[in-house]
Amino acid sequence: MRKLAQLTMAAGASVVLVLGLTGSASASAWTSTPYADAGFMSYGDDIWVDHHASGGNSIVWWSTDYGRTGSCSSSGGEKWCYYDMRETGTITIQLCSYPPSYPQGWCDVEQVSSIGNDEG
């Protein structure tokens, strides 16, 4: 019984440790359309898009409050785009999807996030 209690406590501590570490890598900004998901992760300055519709493509448009702009796109599956951002300021992302069934596109509302990793 004592060993079971020790194993349970050790397993619980491992879960807390793992969840604590993965929490710092969560998306700072996240957005979606019916055809894709996308986000910005301040830890690593990563923008990602996951286009899960059959055909077409999805694009994450981004801009910073200090004048940089760009995009990250996928025509199938998940794609990561790596950018070196300043450690201060904000980034705005917007996801637009263009599936064959809806060629005029579907855009989600803009999402704004802090660029720096304020969790550390």
Side-chain angles (χ1 to χ4, degrees), residues 21-71:
L21 292 175
T22 58
S24 63
S26 63
S28 299
W30 181 83
T31 184
S32 68
T33 69
Y35 311 101
D37 300 304
F40 167 74
M41 294 182 56
S42 62
Y43 185 81
D45 299 337
D46 304 326
I47 295 173
W48 58 273
V49 58
D50 185 4
H51 181 77
H52 45 77
S54 178
N57 69 329
S58 292
I59 303 169
V60 178
W61 301 98
W62 63 269
S63 63
T64 66
D65 64 343
Y66 58 89
R68 283 189 65 192
T69 61
S71 64

Side-chain angles (χ1 to χ4, degrees), residues 17-120:
L17 179 61
V18 168
L19 290 177
L21 292 175
T22 58
S24 63
S26 63
S28 299
W30 181 83
T31 184
S32 68
T33 69
Y35 311 101
D37 300 304
F40 167 74
M41 294 182 56
S42 62
Y43 185 81
D45 299 337
D46 304 326
I47 295 173
W48 58 273
V49 58
D50 185 4
H51 181 77
H52 45 77
S54 178
N57 69 329
S58 292
I59 303 169
V60 178
W61 301 98
W62 63 269
S63 63
T64 66
D65 64 343
Y66 58 89
R68 283 189 65 192
T69 61
S71 64
C72 181
S73 65
S74 172
S75 57
E78 188 175 275
K79 180 173 179 190
W80 287 80
C81 300
Y82 305 98
Y83 299 98
D84 187 17
M85 307 280 185
R86 290 182 185 171
E87 295 305 313
T88 60
T90 60
I91 186 168
T92 301
I93 64 171
Q94 184 176 32
L95 172 63
C96 296
S97 296
Y98 304 93
S101 61
Y102 199 70
Q104 63 269 35
W106 180 299
C107 295
D108 196 19
V109 297
E110 294 179 342
Q111 303 293 318
V112 180
S113 175
S114 173
I115 294 173
N117 185 13
D118 296 332
E119 297 176 22

Side-chain angles (χ1 to χ4, degrees), residues 7-19:
L7 286 173
T8 303
M9 287 179 63
S14 297
V15 169
V16 168
L17 179 61
V18 168
L19 290 177

